[in-house]
Amino acid sequence: MKNNLLQVLLRRFFSARISPAEYTVLKSEVQKATDEAMDSALDILWKEQNLQVPVMDDAVKFRVLNNIQNQITDNKPSHNFSWTRIAATILIPLLVSAASFYYFSGKFNRQEDVFTVFAERGQKTQIFLPDGTQVWLNSDSYLSYSSVFNRDNREVTLKGEAFFDVTKDDEHSFAVKAEGINIVVHGTAFNVSAYPDEEMATVSLLRGAVTVENAVERVQLEPGQQVQIPRDRQSWKLFPCDVEMECLWTQNMLRFENTPAVEVFAKLEKWYGVNIHVENSDSSVKYGFVLKSESLREILDLINRITAIDYQINGEEVNIRYK
């Protein structure tokens, strides 16, 4: 019964008549099938053809073969299939029909999945994208990308903060969409902070080159530069910055230098996954310290030594009152 299902789905796949739901089932069947089952199914499909077998150009054959392998296994083959055997099998007339050409050229209406990685409040996570790009996600951040990533595009969507070390690819740019801005790169390392609840989005370039743009603005960053983009997306500011300091969070450290208290507490909220409520705050108060492995209580004790405060920690709720 399984072999029959595999044959039916492969037949529909080769004739470009497979539905998105059937395609999902086919991927599962191929991953579970033995080499013998695959050979048997392909043999049956070959014998069903009574027409003269046309000659396929080697370049076309190579393209179709690679598309079959990518489409069926999502670049993660579970078997050592004899692809030369499949290459011979795919010479069947169905595969060189117009419908098959549209399928393999990407015009087939196949289903796309969206993958989302989430770093919870107070946590950080590190991932590798399908092209080898390394991404660090900061607290309360989301990164989404399509199942066609590295096949049709290299585009991700970010909410929050992330550091990207992008795999170089001269033919395919890498794009990050974040809070109304678009960041385009080829191979580089940079930090993006774009939380929906913050007044400012920033892009800081460690190495390489990036272009940051929206519908009305466009800037090219050089290493050691940061662009600040206010919530209204107007009046962008480009200036030198210590990018390594901006990226210290990837090493589980935070560094504040003459930083306004409101910004310090906003970062501490995300760092520890708490809600901080401040009374009698003074906009002129600024802090400078390095946070490594200290607990929230230890940091609040440090702040208390700099400026006198009372504080209470009740689970995720933190109340601070300046004296």
Side-chain angles (χ1 to χ4, degrees):
M1 182 65 184
K2 286 291 183 182
N3 287 347
N4 290 339
L5 176 59
L6 184 61
Q7 291 165 20
V8 170
L9 294 175
L10 281 172
R11 187 180 296 111
R12 295 183 65 81
F13 173 83
F14 286 139
S15 61
R17 293 184 292 110
I18 194 167
S19 69
E22 290 171 332
Y23 175 67
T24 300
V25 176
L26 174 59
K27 288 196 295 183
S28 175
E29 291 299 313
V30 169
Q31 289 167 356
K32 293 185 294 184
T34 63
D35 289 352
E36 291 75 14
M38 282 295 298
D39 282 344
S40 175
L42 292 170
D43 273 339
I44 292 174
L45 291 177
W46 173 262
K47 292 174 182 177
E48 288 177 351
Q49 307 308 310
N50 298 317
L51 302 177
Q52 181 69 31
V53 177
V55 176
M56 180 181 286
D57 180 82
D58 286 343
V60 175
K61 184 192 303 182
F62 179 78
R63 179 187 176 194
V64 172
L65 175 58
N66 276 279
N67 273 283
I68 290 177
Q69 186 173 8
N70 290 338
Q71 291 288 337
I72 292 295
T73 66
D74 287 337
N75 294 317
K76 294 180 180 179
S78 57
H79 304 288
N80 294 319
F81 294 137
S82 173
W83 290 110
T84 54
R85 181 175 179 82
I86 295 180
T89 305
I90 63 177
L91 297 179
I92 57 177
L94 285 175
L95 213 58
V96 293
S97 67
S100 295
F101 173 78
Y102 279 113
Y103 182 90
F104 291 114
S105 64
K107 296 180 181 178
F108 180 77
N109 186 26
R110 63 180 182 268
Q111 186 178 33
E112 291 184 15
D113 296 320
V114 175
F115 304 104
T116 300
V117 182
F118 172 53
E120 296 182 2
R121 293 186 70 197
Q123 303 295 323
K124 291 172 286 296
T125 189
Q126 182 181 358
I127 63 170
F128 286 89
L129 296 177
D131 66 339
T133 291
Q134 198 169 5
V135 183
W136 287 259
L137 271 184
N138 206 348
S139 168
D140 198 21
S141 299
Y142 299 77
L143 183 77
S144 300
Y145 61 94
S146 168
S147 56
V148 299
F149 181 93
N150 204 36
R151 190 165 69 220
D152 293 353
N153 64 60
R154 292 204 300 165
E155 180 178 295
V156 300
T157 299
L158 170 69
K159 288 187 178 181
E161 184 170 18
F163 178 81
F164 297 86
D165 194 347
V166 178
T167 298
K168 187 175 179 59
D169 185 340
D170 291 332
E171 296 183 359
H172 302 93
S173 61
F174 186 98
V176 181
K177 295 186 178 299
E179 289 300 297
I181 58 175
N182 191 41
I183 305 150
V184 181
V185 307
H186 281 278
T188 185
F190 60 101
N191 194 80
V192 182
S193 181
Y195 285 99
D197 60 344
E198 293 189 353
E199 294 298 323
M200 193 80 67
T202 64
V203 180
S204 309
L205 181 61
L206 182 62
R207 67 173 184 271
V210 302
T211 299
V212 184
E213 60 189 11
N214 66 5
V216 296
E217 295 280 352
R218 186 175 189 272
V219 297
Q220 181 90 26
L221 294 185
E222 296 180 358
Q225 288 186 323
Q226 179 185 90
V227 60
Q228 290 187 345
I229 306 165
R231 182 181 291 276
D232 61 10
R233 305 297 176 247
Q234 304 297 319
S235 303
W236 292 19
K237 295 181 180 179
L238 180 65
F239 54 87
C241 79
D242 186 343
V243 181
E244 290 188 355
M245 187 182 79
E246 294 289 322
C247 305
L248 276 178
W249 64 267
T250 64
Q251 302 173 41
N252 291 316
M253 290 191 292
L254 279 181
R255 182 179 176 184
F256 300 101
E257 286 188 353
N258 202 32
T259 307
V262 64
E263 294 183 24
V264 171
F265 291 130
K267 287 187 178 293
L268 292 181
E269 278 190 323
K270 292 182 172 65
W271 193 262
Y272 292 105
V274 296
N275 301 312
I276 297 178
H277 311 280
V278 182
E279 295 181 28
N280 299 334
S281 60
D282 186 341
S283 59
S284 66
V285 174
K286 298 182 179 181
Y287 297 106
F289 58 86
V290 176
L291 187 161
K292 295 181 180 178
S293 58
E294 293 83 359
S295 67
L296 175 58
R297 189 174 298 277
E298 288 173 326
I299 290 300
L300 293 178
D301 285 339
L302 172 63
I303 291 176
N304 183 41
R305 290 197 294 269
I306 301 173
T307 52
I309 62 171
D310 288 325
Y311 68 85
Q312 290 183 333
I313 302 176
N314 299 308
E316 295 183 356
E317 302 300 318
V318 180
N319 295 298
I320 296 174
R321 182 179 181 278
Y322 279 90
K323 294 180 180 178

